[in-house]
Amino acid sequence: MEEKIERLWNEVRELSLGSNSNAIETLPSPPSPIHFLRDFVSKNKPCLISNAVAHWPALSLWPDLSYLSTVLSNTSVSLHLTPDGRADSVVNDSLFASAHVECVPFTRAIDLVLNTTNAQSVAYLQQQNDCFRTEYNELAGDSDPHLPWATEAIGSLPEAVNLWIGNHKSETCFHKDHYENLYVVVSGEKHFLLLPPTDVHRMYIRDYPAAHYIYSKESEGQLKLEMEEPLRYVPWSSVNPYPCPEDRQKEVAKYPLYFNGPDPFKCTVKAGQVLYLPSMWFHHVRQSPGDGGCTIALNYWYDMQFDIKYAYFNFLESLPFGSRLIGTNCEVSDVSRRKLRDGCNSVSIMGAVESNEDYEND
């Protein structure tokens, strides 16, 4: 049975990505709008594009952090803080944790990002709400407001443009977005693991109670987790593709469809390159800093078409399968309650689940 399933996964990859289905296609220059629409957007097929932003002043200016600090000297920005750099992630196999967010002066924020020896928290500059066109609008002249060939192909301007500035500890866990994503690296490198929407059952998506990190000076810089009220559930992937060696065997046993199935696509995006990440593709991201000590990226989110591909994905996701909890809600078991009380490593859990009644997903 497992062999049949793996063969189907491989056949779907070949059908959608072509015979060379073990690698992401690299284009030496930006495609024409019709080429991009026909061969990539309509096929929901990723690609890596070189020489698309070579004219940007940002490529030479932004790696110099003194330039950013000068331009943004009077600007306050959203800074995300987590204990380990893994924001929007499953903690202790029991709940979904989001970062603590503070609005701080950029000069202070970039100092915290560069402080990689801080044992209490990892700082990441990112706010997925069109932050580049709001918080960082002073930098607008250093890049393009949109990518013309992508805009013409997709048929609309970007819904949001976001800026990301982090260090090597920042990590984005497996998830998918309902956007056509054009991801531009300006400094450093981004390391993507990619899986197509048809691999949804390998992601072990489950509904986790939502919590968020909080910070107070009284706790001497320690971040703590607090349950959201009213209680809500977030559907999220349970898979950590990089378990520590001592946990690997246990993780493989818990998530065999992921670890024993076809390898995810690996793609490193270097400074000056653009990754087209199609809507609903699962992706996990790590990063390597550039010369300035940071990884800097800009991404354009274009609205996806809620067409037949979206209907197919929803149908596939709804099919019962061993790796997914059936139904839209889940209860918090006694074991989960105990984990919530005990916390995860040095992170404390504040608050408790008061009832095991079913709640609707967010």
Side-chain angles (χ1 to χ4, degrees):
M1 182 64 168
E2 292 181 358
E3 292 180 358
K4 290 183 178 179
I5 292 173
E6 184 168 351
R7 187 168 64 249
L8 283 172
W9 276 325
N10 284 321
E11 287 176 354
V12 168
R13 290 184 178 208
E14 183 173 347
L15 179 65
S16 60
L17 301 178
S19 58
N20 184 23
S21 56
N22 292 320
I24 301 299
E25 183 175 350
T26 299
L27 306 180
S29 60
S32 67
I34 189 63
H35 178 199
F36 185 56
L37 177 61
R38 181 191 63 213
D39 294 342
F40 298 101
V41 178
S42 66
K43 293 182 178 180
N44 203 234
K45 176 182 175 180
C47 64
L48 187 61
I49 305 160
S50 299
N51 299 307
V53 295
H55 59 284
W56 281 16
L59 292 177
S60 59
L61 294 176
W62 291 3
D64 180 0
L65 298 182
S66 63
Y67 169 80
L68 295 180
S69 295
T70 298
V71 175
L72 300 171
S73 60
N74 298 317
T75 301
S76 292
V77 294
S78 299
L79 183 69
H80 288 229
L81 297 170
T82 57
D84 54 7
R86 300 175 76 243
D88 290 350
S89 64
V90 174
V91 173
N92 208 29
D93 290 332
S94 60
L95 75 165
F96 172 83
S98 55
H100 171 68
V101 183
E102 286 189 3
C103 188
V104 299
F106 177 83
T107 51
R108 171 61 177 158
I110 199 66
D111 286 343
L112 291 172
V113 170
L114 291 171
N115 184 11
T116 58
T117 61
N118 184 358
Q120 297 289 346
S121 62
V122 177
Y124 196 13
L125 280 167
Q126 59 108 350
Q127 184 74 1
Q128 300 171 48
N129 63 351
D130 200 27
C131 68
F132 185 68
R133 296 190 291 199
T134 53
E135 296 180 358
Y136 298 94
N137 65 321
E138 297 293 333
L139 298 173
D142 297 339
S143 62
D144 291 332
H146 64 103
L147 300 177
W149 44 273
T151 296
E152 185 174 345
I154 296 171
S156 64
L157 289 167
E159 179 72 16
V161 185
N162 304 305
L163 183 68
W164 312 72
I165 304 178
N167 59 48
H168 70 280
K169 293 185 177 181
S170 299
E171 182 176 330
T172 303
C173 299
F174 264 127
H175 70 286
K176 69 179 188 303
D177 299 307
H178 292 90
Y179 290 101
E180 307 293 352
N181 192 350
L182 276 298
Y183 204 100
V184 185
V185 173
V186 176
S187 180
E189 296 180 348
K190 292 276 186 173
H191 311 289
F192 285 80
L193 296 180
L194 305 176
L195 284 171
T198 48
D199 285 26
V200 57
H201 294 108
R202 300 178 61 200
M203 293 286 91
Y204 293 84
I205 297 172
R206 295 169 180 166
D207 296 331
Y208 291 95
H212 59 270
Y213 289 105
I214 64 170
Y215 165 84
S216 66
K217 295 180 179 179
E218 289 75 16
S219 64
E220 298 181 350
Q222 183 183 17
L223 290 166
K224 298 182 179 181
L225 273 174
E226 183 176 64
M227 299 298 298
E228 291 191 9
E229 295 182 2
L231 179 65
R232 69 185 180 97
Y233 288 88
V234 177
W236 205 257
S237 172
S238 307
V239 174
N240 172 15
Y242 298 110
C244 55
E246 58 268 26
D247 291 339
R248 182 172 177 80
Q249 187 174 356
K250 180 179 67 175
E251 293 295 295
V252 171
K254 287 168 61 177
Y255 310 117
L257 294 178
Y258 175 82
F259 287 101
N260 298 330
D263 290 337
F265 299 98
K266 296 181 179 180
C267 179
T268 292
V269 188
K270 300 180 180 181
Q273 292 184 313
V274 181
L275 172 66
Y276 167 55
L277 179 58
S279 56
M280 299 186 296
W281 271 65
F282 294 95
H283 50 289
H284 180 283
V285 193
R286 285 179 161 183
Q287 52 193 25
S288 301
D291 293 338
C294 292
T295 307
I296 305 175
L298 196 67
N299 86 295
Y300 300 84
W301 269 343
Y302 290 84
D303 276 340
M304 64 172 283
Q305 293 294 319
F306 290 85
D307 53 14
I308 192 65
K309 295 192 297 294
Y310 179 70
Y312 282 151
F313 174 81
N314 282 343
F315 173 73
L316 179 63
E317 189 177 32
S318 71
L319 294 176
F321 206 83
S323 71
R324 180 173 174 82
L325 296 181
I326 307 305
T328 57
N329 300 310
C330 68
E331 295 183 350
V332 179
S333 66
D334 291 338
V335 173
S336 295
R337 292 172 187 272
R338 188 162 59 253
K339 287 181 178 178
L340 292 175
R341 289 196 302 268
D342 295 342
C344 178
N345 298 326
S346 62
V347 180
S348 300
I349 305 294
M350 299 184 65
V353 179
E354 301 297 337
S355 170
N356 66 350
E357 297 177 359
D358 289 340
Y359 291 79
E360 292 185 357
N361 289 327
D362 178 46

